[in-house]
Amino acid sequence: MAEHRLRAARAALAIAAVVAALLAPGEAVRAQGEGSPETGRAEAPTRDEPPRIEPRSVLAAVDPERAMSPDEARALQAAVREAREDTGDALLRERIACYRRFFVTGCLADVGQRERLVRARLDRLEVAANRTLREHSALELNARTAGDLERREAAEPDDSARRDENRRAYESRQAAAELEQARREAQAPDLARQAEANRSERARREAEAAARRRDAEARSRQDAPNAAARAGALEARRLEREAADAREQVRRESRKADRERREAEARKREESPGAPRPGRPGRPPQDASPPR
């Protein structure tokens, strides 16, 4: 939080310096250190004309050769962006004001010369800020790289031990695989003999099964006439059983009809008046008087 407030304060100071430079009274352009000849005013400005922008007064408090911190460089970048906008507007107003003067060409040349110098100074400041940020990024990258190297060097013994352990485990697996291969190669003749014996046994069982099928087919062909006779005898016995069952059914129905007929006659005799009650055969009725 304190660092953030410090950056904000520095940015505010830089912006205040730009505004102060823009509001400063105009003087003759002195291109010391900028590589340009001295340029003077063609005419003295009147009171209603805009203030004169001097290249040396734009962000005059900032020295591009001085070492800056990353926060100062970022604040300078923001100040340069605002100064570009402000000086561009001010120089445009000056260029418009030139058309109200008598020496228009000289005035426009003066404004153009100062505009180039202002742009050169702002570019120089921006390049210095960008260089500072690049150097800071490079230093951070170098620090991270150095930290990574230190961590790798510190972890090197553990990595070496782990690699040795992995190598020993791999060699152990390779040795076990070689032993298993040797065991299989040693057992190969026995396995081949066992496979041959299995094939022979399977062929023998298939031959026996084929022989049994042939014997069964031969017996079925020989038993065909006997089978037909047995089938005829079975059919005859079946027909006889069915005829006997039919006769028995007829006898049962006849007995049933006789029983029903006798029962009907008995009911009629009981219902008729004065009819003697039937008794047992060979006996007189119970209500008859005995002979004297």
Side-chain angles (χ1 to χ4, degrees), residues 132-153:
T132 298
L133 292 177
R134 285 196 301 272
E135 291 175 354
H136 180 70
S137 299
L139 290 175
E140 288 183 347
L141 178 60
N142 292 337
R144 288 196 299 270
T145 304
D148 293 339
L149 291 176
E150 291 178 358
R151 286 190 294 272
R152 290 179 183 177
E153 291 177 356

Side-chain angles (χ1 to χ4, degrees), residues 69-106:
S69 66
D71 294 336
E72 292 175 344
R74 283 188 283 269
L76 180 58
Q77 285 180 336
V80 168
R81 285 194 295 269
E82 293 192 9
R84 286 186 193 279
E85 297 178 358
D86 296 339
T87 55
D89 294 340
L91 290 171
L92 178 61
R93 289 193 295 271
E94 287 191 38
R95 188 176 289 107
I96 294 172
C98 286
Y99 291 98
R100 296 196 297 269
R101 295 187 180 185
F102 182 76
F103 298 102
V104 176
T105 304

Side-chain angles (χ1 to χ4, degrees), residues 60 102 189 194 242 257 280 286:
F102 182 76
Q194 183 65 32
E242 289 180 355
R280 291 184 181 179
Q286 294 180 359

